[in-house]
C-alpha cells in the first residue's frame, strides 16, 4: 500500500494532541475538585516511564513529533503526580483532625 | 547515527507494555475501591480517540506492535469508562437515598 507521509504525520500529531488534551482535562478536573484520590499513582508512574522510553525512541530516530509529545506527556504526568500527592496529604490531614 | 532496529523495537514494545500496565493498575484500583469519581471521563475519551488514530496509523504502516498496543489500550479505556459509569451511578444513587 502506497503510504502517504503527510497523512501519517497528521494522524500521529492529532493522536498525540488528543492524548495530551485528555491529561490537561484531568489536571483541570483535579484542580477544580482538589481531589485525585481515585487516580492511580502507578498509572502515572508507568505512563511517565513509558513516555521516557518513547522519548529515547524519538531521540534515536530524531523524530521531533515523538520527542515533543512525550516530553509534554512527561511534564503533565509530573504535574498530576505532584497535585495528587498534595491533595492526598491534605485529605488525610483533614480526616485525622 | 546508525539506528539499531532491535533496540527501537524493544524500546517501543516496553513503552507500550508499561503504559498498558499503568491502566491495568488503574482498573484494579477502581475495582478494589469501587470508586473512579476523580478519574476524568474526558481523559479516557480523549485517550481512546488517540488510540483509534494510532490504530489507523499502525494499520497503514502495517506495524503489528502499534496495532496491538493501541487495540489493547482501546479495550482498557472502554473497560475503565464502563466501570466509572457504573460506580458513579451507584455513588449518586447512594447519596440520594
Amino acid at each position: 500500500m502506497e503510504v502517504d507521509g503527510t497523512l501519517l504525520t497528521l494522524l500521529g500529531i492529532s493522536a498525540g494532541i488528543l492524548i495530551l488534551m485528555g491529561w490537561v482535562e484531568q489536571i483541570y478536573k483535579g484542580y477544580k475538585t482538589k481531589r485525585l484520590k481515585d487516580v492511580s499513582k502507578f498509572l502515572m508512574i508507568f505512563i511517565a516511564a513509558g513516555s521516557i522510553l518513547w522519548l529515547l525512541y524519538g531521540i534515536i530516530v530524531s523524530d521531533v513529533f515523538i520527542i515533543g509529545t512525550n516530553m509534554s506527556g512527561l511534564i503533565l504526568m509530573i504535574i498530576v503526580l505532584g497535585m495528587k500527592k498534595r491533595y492526598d496529604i491534605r485529605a488525610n490531614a483533614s480526616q485525622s483532625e
Side-chain angles (χ1 to χ4, degrees), chain A residues 3-77:
Chain A
V3 178
D4 174 0
T6 348
L7 170 66
L8 285 181
T9 313
L10 262 176
L11 271 178
I13 289 177
S14 2
I17 289 168
L18 277 171
I19 292 170
L20 293 176
M21 277 165 64
W23 282 105
V24 168
E25 214 287 327
Q26 177 67 68
I27 287 173
Y28 175 66
K29 178 181 168 73
Y31 179 72
K32 252 189 340 183
T33 58
K34 301 289 185 265
R35 252 192 76 98
L36 284 166
K37 205 150 193 271
D38 302 333
V39 183
S40 154
K41 177 175 67 178
F42 293 106
L43 169 66
M44 293 180 281
I45 291 169
F46 278 123
I47 288 185
S51 303
I52 290 170
L53 294 188
W54 278 126
L55 200 51
L56 274 177
Y57 186 107
I59 291 165
I60 292 172
V61 301
S62 347
D63 183 315
V64 280
F65 166 67
I66 293 179
I67 294 169
T69 355
N70 286 283
M71 188 80 93
S72 4
L74 199 53
I75 292 164
L76 291 176
M77 281 315 110

